[in-house]
Amino acid sequence: RDNQAISGRSTVVVHAGDLYIGMAPRAYVGQAGDEQQLDLVTIDTDGNRLANRTVEVEFLRTTWENQFVEDAAGGRWESRQVRESVGTQKITTDAKGEAVVSFTPASGGAYLVQARAVDGGGREVRTSLYVWVYGGDAFWIRENNDRINLIADKGEYRPGETATILIPSPFTGAHWALLTIERGGVLSHEVRQVTGGSLVYQLPITAAYAPNIYVSAVLFAPPD
């Protein structure tokens, strides 16, 4: 009766099924016409490997249709996602609960890889990730914040390796990219001409880049 509130809270983990599918690409960036490989593993809710589990994997190519819509403020870009299934395959994990998934994309784009399995109770579990592919015609999203997302083929590198960085461009005609390597300032810069919907930047990694660097791209297209 002293008008004080008393409350408590607890957290409970609820699993969607009795297994999980782990999936990781060997490279996040690939070239059209080249085989792409992903490592897959099936585990239980305690992290133990589950052997001989059937997993269905589907590959969906994702592109965007961009349209400029005029309004009282001048106009804005509207983007519609187009997703096309380009193949499905069933694999079975081995005695260690592992498997390798391979597919060869015919054209560029963002490929959504979806893995599905059914647990002992008949419940479906899923996992998914994107693999980015350059080459041929690829149509990337055009946003109103004038920003693009650069995609590196790995999360970290060692001196002597070469980073492959995909620069997805929403421009379709010939245009230019100002590329800078930065950390506390501009370490180096160059200008590249871009033809088509993407530029692949190969950056040799040196010991001078440790512990990290930033790669920046500014795209410029002349008026239509």
Side-chain angles (χ1 to χ4, degrees):
R1 292 177 179 264
D2 55 3
N3 294 321
Q4 292 185 359
I6 300 175
S7 65
R9 176 178 296 178
S10 180
T11 300
V12 178
V13 177
V14 179
H15 299 286
D18 60 19
L19 67 88
Y20 281 94
I21 307 169
M23 191 164 52
R26 295 188 176 178
Y28 280 97
V29 177
Q31 184 173 6
D34 290 349
E35 184 181 68
Q36 311 299 315
Q37 292 187 322
L38 304 95
D39 293 307
L40 185 146
V41 63
T42 47
I43 61 173
D44 64 18
T45 55
D46 293 321
N48 301 310
R49 300 291 182 94
L50 293 175
N52 305 317
R53 295 302 176 102
T54 300
V55 180
E56 182 180 81
V57 183
E58 184 176 14
F59 310 97
L60 300 107
R61 180 175 182 254
T62 305
T63 58
W64 287 265
E65 294 180 351
N66 303 308
Q67 182 179 8
F68 187 76
V69 179
E70 296 183 355
D71 56 24
R76 69 188 186 280
W77 285 96
E78 292 185 353
S79 299
R80 186 178 74 89
Q81 188 180 82
V82 180
R83 189 169 287 171
E84 171 193 10
S85 178
V86 295
T88 302
Q89 57 183 260
K90 285 188 177 182
I91 62 170
T92 302
T93 56
D94 61 15
K96 296 180 179 179
E98 300 174 356
V100 177
V101 184
S102 301
F103 79 106
T104 302
S107 54
Y111 284 80
L112 177 63
V113 184
Q114 290 186 335
R116 297 183 290 267
V118 177
D119 72 357
R123 297 175 291 264
E124 184 179 77
V125 294
R126 297 187 181 191
T127 189
S128 63
L129 55 77
Y130 274 98
V131 175
W132 304 80
V133 177
Y134 63 91
D137 293 329
F139 302 98
W140 312 103
I141 189 170
R142 176 74 180 266
E143 298 184 291
N144 291 291
N145 55 14
D146 292 330
R147 294 185 64 87
I148 55 176
N149 295 314
L150 310 189
I151 301 102
D153 62 334
K154 294 200 304 180
E156 61 181 32
Y157 301 90
R158 296 181 180 273
E161 295 182 331
T162 298
T164 299
I165 302 169
L166 174 64
I167 303 171
S169 173
F171 302 133
T172 55
H175 53 287
W176 288 264
L178 170 62
L179 306 173
T180 56
I181 309 302
E182 308 173 9
R183 186 181 63 234
V186 177
L187 304 179
S188 64
H189 71 279
E190 62 178 295
V191 175
R192 294 267 188 99
Q193 186 173 7
V194 186
T195 56
S198 59
L199 172 66
V200 178
Y201 185 44
Q202 303 285 352
L203 177 63
I205 302 299
T206 69
Y209 288 158
N212 56 21
I213 54 171
Y214 299 88
V215 179
S216 173
V218 180
L219 301 178
F220 169 77
D224 295 332

